[in-house]
């Protein structure tokens, strides 16, 4: 496999960083090629703006997705975006590694998504879900959080974790065509013992060692819809 790990945690000694290091060591130990984008260490700029284009089609009014498409064709994307896009296209497996912030990803990772999943390459028109531009690639979300596992679920105080991750898993990763694997979650990390943290690391290592056998989550396929994107089942 060719694996890109996108890591978003500001503390090099964090448990989330230990997960990144374990993923790198485990995957390379299995003979896989691995690249790492450590967003905080890179001082990654998360803000999508007109500065993301060396040249613009319309200098008077910024339509970001349109300028992305034209920027790809003309080779006018900012150098930091192009570098990350090259890594993403090189990889057949993506790992997003981060702590859960406010039911979502850290801002720096959201900015990586906004700027790197460019229109015209990753999506556009009816190129989404199984027809998305990144179809054939796999993605694993590995995350840490402070809550206990019993706090998440249908009748739990916070509701299902799947609901929190839906914008990422479905609205982003599945949308651009990737095969989305079940996330790996390390619960209550800031408050547990060293021994409990080691158990999470052992479980994560086992998951990584068998990642090629994982079955992706099922999401809509365009073949289930007509040309206007109405469900075909409604016509019967």
């Amino acid at each position: 496999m060719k694996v890109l790990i996108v890591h978003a945690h500001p503390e090099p000694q964090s448990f989330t960083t230990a997960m990144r290091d374990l993923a790198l060591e485990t995957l390379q130990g299995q003979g896989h090629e691995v690249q790492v984008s450590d967003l905080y260490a890179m001082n990654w700029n998360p803000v999508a703006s007109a500065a993301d284009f060396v040249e613009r089609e319309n200098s008077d009014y910024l339509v970001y997705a349109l300028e992305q498409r034209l920027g790809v064709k003309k080779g006018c994307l900012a150098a930091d975006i192009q570098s990350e896009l090259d890594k993403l296209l090189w990889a057949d497996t993506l790992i997003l590694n981060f702590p859960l912030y406010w039911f979502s990803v850290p801002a720096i990772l959201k900015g990586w998504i906004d700027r790197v999943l460019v229109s015209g390459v990753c999506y556009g028109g009816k190129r989404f879900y199984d027809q998305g531009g990144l179809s054939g690639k796999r993605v694993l979300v590995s995350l840490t959080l402070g809550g206990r596992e019993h706090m998440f679920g249908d009748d739990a105080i916070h509701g299902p974790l799947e609901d929190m991750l839906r914008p990422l898993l479905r609205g982003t990763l599945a949308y651009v065509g990737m095969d989305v694997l079940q996330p790996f979650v390390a619960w209550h990390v800031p408050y547990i013992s060293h021994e409990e943290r080691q158990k999470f690391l052992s479980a994560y290592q086992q998951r990584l060692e068998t990642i090629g056998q994982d079955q992706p989550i099922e999401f809509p396929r365009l073949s289930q819809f007509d040309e206007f994107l109405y469900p075909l089942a409604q016509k019967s």
Side-chain angles (χ1 to χ4, degrees), residues 1 26-33:
M1 292 190 304
T26 300
L27 293 168
Q28 286 184 333
Q30 291 184 303
H32 303 303
E33 299 178 65

Side-chain angles (χ1 to χ4, degrees), residues 16-214:
T16 309
T17 303
M19 289 175 59
R20 177 206 65 189
D21 294 343
L22 177 64
L24 178 62
E25 178 183 352
T26 300
L27 293 168
Q28 286 184 333
Q30 291 184 303
H32 303 303
E33 299 178 65
V34 185
Q35 295 191 63
V36 177
S37 290
D38 185 333
L39 300 184
Y40 284 96
M42 294 161 56
N43 196 28
W44 174 259
N45 173 20
V47 180
S49 72
D52 289 346
F53 312 102
V54 178
E55 296 179 14
R56 281 174 51 192
E57 183 74 10
N58 186 340
S59 59
D60 296 323
Y61 190 94
L62 177 63
V63 181
Y64 193 79
L66 177 59
E67 294 294 347
Q68 283 183 322
R69 292 198 291 272
L70 297 172
V72 168
K73 290 181 180 179
K74 295 182 177 181
C76 293
L77 294 176
D80 60 341
I81 296 175
Q82 188 63 60
S83 177
E84 291 302 295
L85 180 60
D86 289 344
K87 293 179 192 176
L88 180 61
L89 296 179
W90 164 85
D92 53 56
T93 301
L94 173 66
I95 296 176
L96 299 182
N97 189 63
F98 60 91
L100 194 71
Y101 284 0
W102 293 109
F103 289 17
S104 186
V105 299
I108 200 168
L109 178 55
K110 179 58 165 63
W112 186 90
I113 290 168
D114 290 346
R115 299 180 68 221
V116 177
L117 300 187
V118 300
S119 178
V121 175
C122 302
Y123 72 98
K126 287 187 179 179
R127 290 198 305 155
F128 49 80
Y129 293 117
D130 59 306
Q131 300 300 316
L134 301 184
S135 178
K137 299 180 184 293
R138 294 157 64 85
V139 57
L140 171 66
V141 167
S142 56
L143 65 103
T144 60
L145 72 170
R148 297 178 184 272
E149 189 170 2
H150 73 267
M151 297 176 179
F152 298 83
D154 289 334
D155 299 319
I157 184 67
H158 296 314
L161 182 62
E162 292 80 5
D163 288 356
M164 299 179 196
L165 296 178
R166 181 183 174 92
L168 176 64
L169 300 184
R170 180 169 181 163
T172 303
L173 302 173
Y175 185 87
V176 295
M178 304 189 82
D179 289 331
V180 182
L181 307 179
Q182 289 288 347
F184 180 87
V185 184
W187 306 92
H188 205 45
V189 166
Y191 313 105
I192 59 178
S193 67
H194 174 75
E195 289 73 21
E196 289 175 300
R197 292 184 182 188
Q198 290 303 120
K199 289 179 181 178
F200 276 127
L201 290 177
S202 295
Y204 189 41
Q205 182 174 11
Q206 293 176 15
R207 178 74 185 278
L208 292 166
E209 289 173 345
T210 59
I211 192 172
Q213 303 170 26
D214 278 8

Side-chain angles (χ1 to χ4, degrees), residues 222-235:
L222 262 64
S223 60
Q224 298 170 320
F225 300 82
D226 67 17
E227 61 180 312
F228 301 107
L229 299 180
Y230 287 107
L232 291 176
Q234 288 188 1
K235 291 189 170 184

